[in-house]
Amino acid sequence: MKVLLDPTWQVDPIDLGNAALAGTLVPQLGQLKNLQYLELYSNNISGLIPSDLGNLTNLVSLDLYLNNFSGPIPDTLGNLSKLRFL
């Protein structure tokens, strides 16, 4: 399943925790500049965590636990100065 993301959308929060999702995260998620909550915990998401998530500078909560990510955590997540929950 593909989801089209338009960066002009005011989507908040994205709460798809425990939603039986599988596949990879698309870099376009990083275009949702006003996003504050990205909850994708307890799914079957795999692959790399996109470095573009570091563009989500309004993000307060990023829940990616209980998935199957591989590779390093992107350094760009250090840009998330408002992040309170990881």
Side-chain angles (χ1 to χ4, degrees):
M1 177 172 105
K2 287 197 175 205
V3 177
L4 299 176
L5 297 175
D6 182 335
T8 62
W9 292 347
Q10 300 297 312
V11 179
D12 196 47
I14 293 178
D15 188 350
L16 294 171
N18 203 25
L21 298 178
T24 59
L25 294 182
V26 295
Q28 290 84 353
L29 277 172
Q31 295 176 5
L32 299 173
K33 306 287 187 193
N34 294 316
L35 188 64
Q36 293 183 325
Y37 298 91
L38 181 56
E39 315 289 334
L40 298 173
Y41 59 88
S42 196
N43 283 292
N44 194 26
I45 303 170
S46 59
L48 298 174
I49 297 171
S51 61
D52 303 74
L53 294 186
N55 297 331
L56 300 175
T57 54
N58 287 306
L59 207 60
V60 173
S61 180
L62 176 62
D63 287 336
L64 300 175
Y65 63 91
L66 294 178
N67 280 289
N68 294 307
F69 292 109
S70 58
I73 296 172
D75 291 339
T76 56
L77 295 188
N79 299 338
L80 305 178
S81 61
K82 295 181 181 179
L83 195 64
R84 298 292 172 254
F85 304 99
L86 177 62

